[in-house]
Amino acid sequence: MKKLLLLKIALLATMNSFAQNSGTVSGTILDEKSEILPFTNVLLLNAKDSTLAKAVTSDIDGKFKIENAAFNNYLLKISMVGYGELYTPKFILNAEKPNFNFEPLKLKQQTQMLAEVSVTAKKPFIEQQIDKTVVNVENSIVASGSTLLEILEKSPGIVVDRQNNALKLKNKTGVTVMIDGKRNYLSSEALMQFLSNLNSEQVVSIEIITNPSSKYDAQGNSGIINIKLKKNQNFGTNGTLTLSAGNTFLPNAPNDISRFSTNLSLNHRNEKWNIYGNVNPGKNKWYNDNTLIRSTNYEGLRSEFNQSSQRLGSGAYWNGKVGADYFLSKKTTLGAMADINNWNGNGNSTGLTNILEIQNGVNTASSLVPTSVSDNSNFNFTGNFNIKHNFDEKGKEMTVDLDYSGFNNKGNQNFDNRFYDANNQQTSALIQRNPTSTIIDIFAIKTDFTIPTKNKAKVDFGVKSSFVKTDNDFTFEQQIDNTWVNDEGKTNHFIYKEFVNAAYVNYGKQFKKVGVQAGLRAEYTKSEGNSLTLNKVVPKEYLSLFPTLFVNQKLGKNHATRYSYSRRIGRPNYQQLNPFIFFLDPYTFQKGNEFLNPEFTDNAEVTYTYKDAASLSLGYAFTKDNMFDIIEQEDATRKTFQTTTNLDKVENFSANLSFPIPVRKWWMMNNNFSVYYTRYRDNNVSGGVLDVGQTAFNFYTGNTFTFKKGWSAEASMWYNSPNLLGIIKQTKPQYAINAGVQKKINKASKIKLNANDIFLTSFFNGKIDYQNIDLQVNNRWASRRVSLTYTYNFGNQNVKSARRRSTATDDLKSRAGGGQN
C-alpha cells in the first residue's frame, strides 16, 4: 500500500510538474481579405532546428489551439492548398508567459512567376467556399464600370428578373440583400434601382449564402446575397479615387443613355482610432421599352390590345458614409457610423395602344396615346452605435448594436391620356396626377454573445428587437373642367406597424475531421396594416421557429462535404401590403394585397468540394404560401392588373457544378453550371387549378488572360434558359457576352475598358396563357454599355480595415417601400 501511495504521489507530482512546465498557443487563420480559413495546417516547430513539436488544424471558424506545449522557443508554420506558406517570428513559452495568443494570421494566395508572362495569382471571379459562393468583384476587368445589378447578372445561381423587378436565387424568389452585413429595407423596384446606382468600384466581393445559420435573421426564403464594400488594411492614412464613364448603344433608342460616377474613399488608423469615410456622387440615365399584346373575351365582345411604351429617365445621386472605431482597450472597441443615400430623378413615358374590338363579325378600331412625366426624390439615413468586448483571449466576446434607419421618399407623376377613333380623331382625354409620400422609421437593438467551451466547441446566442412604422400617403386626382378632383377609388393613406422580437442559439463543435453546428431561432411578429382612407385594419400575430443544422466533413486532403438544412421566412415588403392602386395607364395597373401572408421555406443542401476549388451541390426546397405575382383581367372593363397572392406550395430541386480550368499558364477559366426543376401547385389561382413545372438551367464561364507589361483581359458569358414562374412563361433564353481589357499604368493607378452584352441578347420575352388571360410581352433595356474606369490609390495601402459589422436594422431595410424609381 505504501508503494502504491508513493507511486500515486510521484505520478501526481510528474503531472503537476508537466502542467507547470507547459503552455498553450492559439490564434485565428484568415486570408488576405480577412475571411476565415477553416481546416488550415498549423505546425509548432522548435526554433532551434525547425523540428516538429506538435500539429493541429484550424476549426470551422479558422481558430486553432495547441495545448500542453513544453516551455521552449518556437515558431509556427501555417499552410493550406492554394496559399503560400507562412512562418511566424520566434516566440517563447515560459513560466512568465505560458500562453501565447497570436493576432490574426493571414495567408496570401500563391504568386507564380512565369517565363512567358508575369502572373500575380488572384482570386477567380467566381470562388466556391465551404459555406458560400463568392464573386470577387475587386480587380475584375469585366466588372469595371458596371453597376452592381449588372454584376449580379454574371453571378452563378442568380437571375435578375428585370421584367418583374426581382432577384431569384436558384430559381427561387425571396432573396435577402445585405450590404456589409446590413440589409436594405427597400421594395423590389427600389432595390433594383439602388443596385443600378451602386458602382462596381465600390465593391470587393459578393457572398451568395443559400443556407444561412440561425445567427442571421430568418427573413429571405431563398438565401442571402451579402455585398462587401471596399475598405483598407493597416496603420496610416490612405485613399482611393475612382472615375468611371460609360454610354449605352441600343438600336431605336436615344443616343445619350450615359452614366458617370466618382468614388472617393479615405481611411486613417492609429493605435486608438480608426476613422473612415466614403463619398460617391454620380449621374445616370436609363431607358427601357416594351410591347404587350393581349386579348379579352366578355359576353361576345373580343378586344385585342397591342400596347407599346418607351420610358427614359435620368437622375443624380450621392451616397456618403462616415464612421469611427475607438479602441477603448485591447478588449473593448466602440464604434459609430452614419450612412446617407440621396437620389433625385425624373422620367417621362410615351406609348401607343391600338385596340381592336370584334363583335358579331364587326371590327371597330380605336387607340390610346398615354404620356406621363414623373419627379422623384429619395433620402435614406442610417445610424449605428456599436460595442464589442472580448472577455478573454479564447474568443469569448459580446457585441451590442443600436440602430436607426429612416426613409423619406417623395414622388409626383402626371398622366395625359388621349383616346382616338379609327379615323385618328380625338374622342376624349383623361388628365390625372399622382403625388405620393412614403416615410419609414426603423428602430432596432441586438446583442450577440460568443462563448468557446472545452474540446473545440462554441456557443453563440443573442437577442434582437425591432420596430418599423411606414406611412404611405397616396393621392390620385383627375382633372375635370380644369378642376382637380380626388379619385376616391385610387387614393389611400396606409400606415403599417411591425414589431419583431427574436432570440437564437447556436452550438458548434469541431471533431477531428467533422465540424457540426446546430441552431434554433425564434421570432415573434406582431403587425398591423391600417388603411385610414378605407377605415380597414388588418392585424397579424404569430410565433415562428427556425432550426438550422450544418455538418462539414473532411474526407481527405483534397475532399470535403457539407450538409446543411435551414428553415426561413419571407415576409411581404411594405409595398406589397399596401392596398394602393399603382396606375400605369387606363388599362393597366398594379395593386397591393393587405391580406398577404408570409411564406415559409425548408431548405436542404449537400455540397462536395474537391481541392477547395471544384464543387458539386444538390439542393431541395419546399415553400408554403409562396408569395406569387399573378396577372388578372376585369372582363367588363377590359383592364389588366398585377397583384401578389399566396400560392399553396412550391417545390424546387437544384444541382450546381462549379470548376476552374487552367487552360494555359496565362489563361484561366472558371465555370459554373446550374440546373433546376420548379413545380407550382394550388387548387385556386384566379378560379383555376394550377399544377405546372419546368426544368431550367443557367451557366457562367469566365476567362482571365494575363500578359506582360501590366496588360490583362477578361471575357465572360452567362446564359439563362427559358423558364417558368408560376403562370408566366419565359419563351426565349437570355444570355450576354462581356469583354474587357486592363492596363496597369504604375503601382498606384490602372485603367479599364469593358463592354457588357455585346450582342444585345439579354432581353426578356414571355407569355401568359392561363384561364381568361392571353398575353405576350417583350422587354428591352439599356444593356449594351461600354465603360471606361480609372483608379488611383494614394497613401499607405496597408491600412487595417474598419470593422465589418452588421447593424440591428439589417433585416428591416430591404423591405421598405417607396424607394428610388
Side-chain angles (χ1 to χ4, degrees):
M1 290 294 293
K2 289 183 178 180
K3 289 183 178 180
L4 182 59
L5 181 60
L6 290 173
L7 181 61
K8 287 184 178 180
I9 293 173
L11 181 60
L12 290 172
T14 302
M15 293 175 63
N16 188 55
S17 174
F18 178 78
Q20 291 178 349
N21 291 279
S22 64
T24 300
V25 183
S26 60
T28 304
I29 312 299
L30 308 175
D31 66 10
E32 53 196 326
K33 294 189 179 298
S34 298
E35 295 292 335
I36 291 169
L37 282 181
F39 311 123
T40 306
N41 297 316
V42 182
L43 307 182
L44 181 66
L45 306 180
N46 292 303
K48 182 178 180 180
D49 53 11
S50 296
T51 56
L52 179 64
K54 285 181 176 290
V56 297
T57 59
S58 61
D59 63 18
I60 195 171
D61 294 315
K63 298 181 183 297
F64 69 89
K65 188 175 183 180
I66 304 173
E67 298 178 306
N68 299 323
F71 289 162
N72 203 345
N73 294 347
Y74 294 107
L75 71 155
L76 292 182
K77 175 186 175 182
I78 302 168
S79 62
M80 186 176 185
V81 176
Y83 292 83
E85 294 179 344
L86 173 66
Y87 289 86
T88 68
K90 297 178 181 179
F91 61 94
I92 300 174
L93 289 183
N94 54 33
E96 295 181 359
K97 191 171 184 180
N99 298 315
F100 195 96
N101 183 57
F102 280 92
E103 291 293 319
L105 299 166
K106 295 185 178 182
L107 295 186
K108 294 184 178 181
Q109 285 197 309
Q110 291 176 326
T111 301
Q112 184 181 17
M113 301 302 294
L114 305 176
E116 300 89 345
V117 294
S118 297
V119 180
T120 300
K122 64 177 182 180
K123 290 188 175 183
F125 184 64
I126 306 296
E127 181 183 10
Q128 294 293 331
Q129 295 187 6
I130 193 167
D131 58 346
K132 59 196 168 191
T133 300
V134 179
V135 181
N136 292 300
V137 179
E138 190 176 29
N139 298 323
S140 170
I141 300 171
V142 295
S144 65
S146 301
T147 68
L148 198 52
L149 197 63
E150 292 166 341
I151 297 170
L152 289 173
E153 284 183 316
K154 305 179 179 74
S155 303
I158 297 176
V159 174
V160 177
D161 184 358
R162 294 177 183 265
Q163 177 67 22
N164 298 295
N165 285 314
L167 295 175
K168 292 190 285 185
L169 181 56
K170 291 196 172 182
N171 210 35
K172 297 180 293 181
T173 56
V175 181
T176 294
V177 177
M178 308 175 81
I179 307 259
D180 278 340
K182 298 177 293 187
R183 289 187 52 196
N184 280 274
Y185 229 76
L186 300 171
S187 67
S188 56
E189 294 85 357
L191 177 62
M192 297 286 272
Q193 183 62 51
F194 174 80
L195 296 175
S196 296
N197 289 338
L198 194 61
N199 192 283
S200 64
E201 300 304 320
Q202 300 171 255
V203 180
V204 174
S205 63
I206 300 170
E207 296 178 340
I208 304 169
I209 309 171
T210 55
N211 261 354
S213 73
S214 297
K215 187 172 184 178
Y216 290 92
D217 292 279
Q219 172 71 22
N221 70 300
S222 65
I224 291 174
I225 297 174
N226 184 31
I227 300 159
K228 289 193 170 183
L229 301 181
K230 289 183 178 178
K231 294 191 175 76
N232 300 306
Q233 291 178 348
N234 236 325
F235 287 99
T237 302
N238 77 355
T240 299
L241 174 66
T242 301
L243 305 174
S244 181
N247 198 14
T248 296
F249 301 91
L250 184 67
N252 303 315
N255 293 324
D256 182 12
I257 314 177
S258 55
R259 177 188 299 156
F260 303 94
S261 177
T262 301
N263 186 71
L264 175 64
S265 299
L266 297 171
N267 199 97
H268 173 77
R269 175 166 175 155
N270 57 33
E271 292 183 356
K272 280 292 185 181
W273 286 93
N274 185 33
I275 302 172
Y276 55 94
N278 171 275
V279 62
N280 172 224
K283 290 185 177 181
N284 63 356
K285 295 183 179 180
W286 65 91
Y287 172 84
N288 80 290
D289 56 51
N290 59 43
T291 301
L292 184 68
I293 301 174
R294 65 184 181 89
S295 62
T296 66
N297 292 281
Y298 182 68
E299 295 184 351
L301 173 64
R302 177 176 175 82
S303 301
E304 297 178 353
F305 295 78
N306 190 330
Q307 301 173 246
S308 62
S309 62
Q310 302 81 37
R311 286 173 288 276
L312 176 67
S314 63
Y317 62 88
W318 65 270
N319 307 318
K321 176 184 289 188
V322 61
D325 294 321
Y326 177 65
F327 305 101
L328 189 64
S329 67
K330 290 183 178 181
K331 293 185 176 182
T332 305
T333 303
L334 307 179
M337 179 272 292
D339 188 357
I340 295 176
N341 296 278
N342 188 70
W343 183 87
N344 292 278
N346 57 77
N348 62 79
S349 174
T350 59
L352 172 64
T353 300
N354 290 310
I355 307 170
L356 179 63
E357 298 177 335
I358 307 172
Q359 190 169 35
N360 299 325
V362 179
N363 295 353
T364 305
S366 61
S367 61
L368 162 68
V369 178
T371 61
S372 67
V373 178
S374 62
D375 292 288
N376 300 277
S377 64
N378 305 318
F379 180 82
N380 166 232
F381 170 81
T382 298
N384 166 262
F385 176 73
N386 175 276
I387 303 173
K388 181 178 180 180
H389 178 73
N390 296 312
F391 293 94
D392 53 35
E393 296 180 349
K394 297 180 180 180
K396 183 179 180 181
E397 68 177 35
M398 175 195 71
T399 61
V400 178
D401 281 278
L402 300 172
D403 287 85
Y404 168 77
S405 188
F407 296 82
N408 192 339
N409 304 325
K410 305 291 184 182
N412 188 54
Q413 192 166 10
N414 295 279
F415 302 91
D416 188 339
N417 302 286
R418 307 281 171 165
F419 297 85
Y420 297 87
D421 61 18
N423 298 318
N424 205 29
Q425 298 296 311
Q426 182 175 324
T427 57
S428 62
L430 180 62
I431 312 299
Q432 300 164 308
R433 68 182 183 185
N434 176 211
T436 62
S437 171
T438 300
I439 299 174
I440 304 173
D441 292 296
I442 304 171
F443 302 88
I445 179 171
K446 70 171 183 175
T447 303
D448 299 289
F449 291 86
T450 298
I451 302 178
T453 61
K454 296 180 180 180
N455 302 321
K456 295 185 178 180
K458 183 180 69 170
V459 177
D460 295 295
F461 61 93
V463 294
K464 177 179 177 180
S465 184
S466 64
F467 169 72
V468 180
K469 179 183 178 182
T470 71
D471 188 331
N472 298 275
D473 195 355
F474 188 97
T475 302
F476 214 98
E477 298 174 318
Q478 180 176 338
Q479 191 179 76
I480 301 176
D481 296 331
N482 294 321
T483 301
W484 289 107
V485 178
N486 183 52
D487 188 334
E488 296 182 357
K490 299 183 179 70
T491 294
N492 198 355
H493 189 181
F494 182 74
I495 295 177
Y496 179 81
K497 297 178 182 180
E498 179 184 87
F499 293 88
V500 178
N501 295 308
Y504 76 91
V505 60
N506 277 332
Y507 177 79
K509 183 173 175 58
Q510 181 66 39
F511 299 94
K512 186 175 182 181
K513 291 186 178 181
V514 177
V516 179
Q517 183 188 97
L520 180 65
R521 185 179 187 90
E523 293 188 354
Y524 169 73
T525 304
K526 185 176 182 180
S527 65
E528 179 186 274
N530 183 5
S531 173
L532 302 182
T533 304
L534 304 177
N535 193 26
K536 181 189 293 184
V537 177
V538 180
K540 291 183 180 180
E541 186 174 357
Y542 51 93
L543 173 67
S544 306
L545 299 178
F546 303 96
T548 58
L549 177 65
F550 304 90
V551 179
N552 295 317
Q553 184 178 15
K554 196 77 172 177
L555 301 177
K557 181 179 180 181
N558 297 323
H559 308 274
T561 57
R562 182 175 191 259
Y563 311 89
S564 62
Y565 164 80
S566 67
R567 185 172 189 256
R568 301 189 62 75
I569 186 174
R571 295 185 181 90
N573 68 51
Y574 309 134
Q575 209 70 12
Q576 290 174 315
L577 294 169
N578 193 338
F580 291 169
I581 293 178
F582 302 95
F583 187 81
L584 301 177
D585 66 42
Y587 293 106
T588 314
F589 60 91
Q590 181 180 5
K591 65 179 181 179
N593 178 4
E594 66 268 37
F595 299 104
L596 195 62
N597 292 318
E599 59 188 5
F600 293 87
T601 300
D602 292 276
N603 295 288
E605 189 173 77
V606 57
T607 302
Y608 164 76
T609 304
Y610 177 69
K611 287 188 174 180
D612 294 320
S615 68
L616 172 65
S617 65
L618 303 175
Y620 171 77
F622 178 85
T623 301
K624 181 69 175 174
D625 290 331
N626 176 251
M627 289 187 294
F628 175 76
D629 288 334
I630 60 172
I631 307 293
E632 295 189 345
Q633 290 185 158
E634 296 177 350
D635 291 330
T637 63
R638 302 177 301 176
K639 294 179 180 180
T640 297
F641 66 92
Q642 176 179 319
T643 189
T644 305
T645 188
N646 290 110
L647 195 70
D648 185 28
K649 59 186 71 174
V650 175
E651 289 182 286
N652 179 275
F653 301 84
S654 64
N656 182 81
L657 176 64
S658 180
F659 57 96
I661 301 176
V663 183
R664 293 288 187 271
K665 293 181 178 180
W666 48 271
W667 177 6
M668 186 68 185
M669 178 187 294
N670 287 278
N671 307 279
N672 186 278
F673 180 83
S674 300
V675 61
Y676 321 96
Y677 174 78
T678 307
R679 184 180 181 187
Y680 303 85
R681 287 181 288 171
D682 197 300
N683 290 327
N684 184 10
V685 177
S686 301
V689 176
L690 181 69
D691 188 350
V692 294
Q694 181 171 320
T695 300
F697 68 92
N698 58 46
F699 72 81
Y700 168 86
T701 180
N703 300 267
T704 303
F705 310 94
T706 309
F707 309 109
K708 291 182 178 180
K709 298 183 179 180
W711 285 95
S712 57
E714 289 184 16
S716 68
M717 176 183 178
W718 60 265
Y719 178 97
N720 295 328
S721 73
N723 198 0
L724 177 69
L725 184 60
I727 63 174
I728 303 172
K729 296 181 180 179
Q730 181 182 338
T731 55
K732 290 184 178 180
Q734 294 175 274
Y735 60 96
I737 295 175
N738 317 290
V741 63
Q742 173 181 282
K743 168 64 176 175
K744 288 187 176 180
I745 302 172
N746 50 46
K747 291 183 178 180
S749 60
K750 57 189 174 185
I751 191 168
K752 303 175 186 178
L753 177 68
N754 81 294
N756 287 317
D757 195 11
I758 297 172
F759 300 106
L760 290 173
T761 51
S762 66
F763 302 138
F764 178 84
N765 295 269
K767 69 176 184 178
I768 299 176
D769 185 7
Y770 179 77
Q771 294 295 92
N772 65 335
I773 303 171
D774 182 6
L775 180 150
Q776 297 180 43
V777 61
N778 302 311
N779 195 356
R780 300 193 315 159
W781 51 86
S783 62
R784 183 165 63 186
R785 185 182 299 275
V786 178
S787 300
L788 184 67
T789 303
Y790 172 76
T791 302
Y792 176 69
N793 299 310
F794 54 91
N796 175 19
Q797 290 303 305
N798 292 313
V799 178
K800 286 185 179 177
S801 65
R803 290 180 298 142
R804 293 192 186 276
R805 60 179 184 267
S806 61
T807 72
T809 59
D810 295 349
D811 66 315
L812 305 173
K813 291 169 63 181
S814 67
R815 287 171 56 215
Q820 297 160 330
N821 295 295

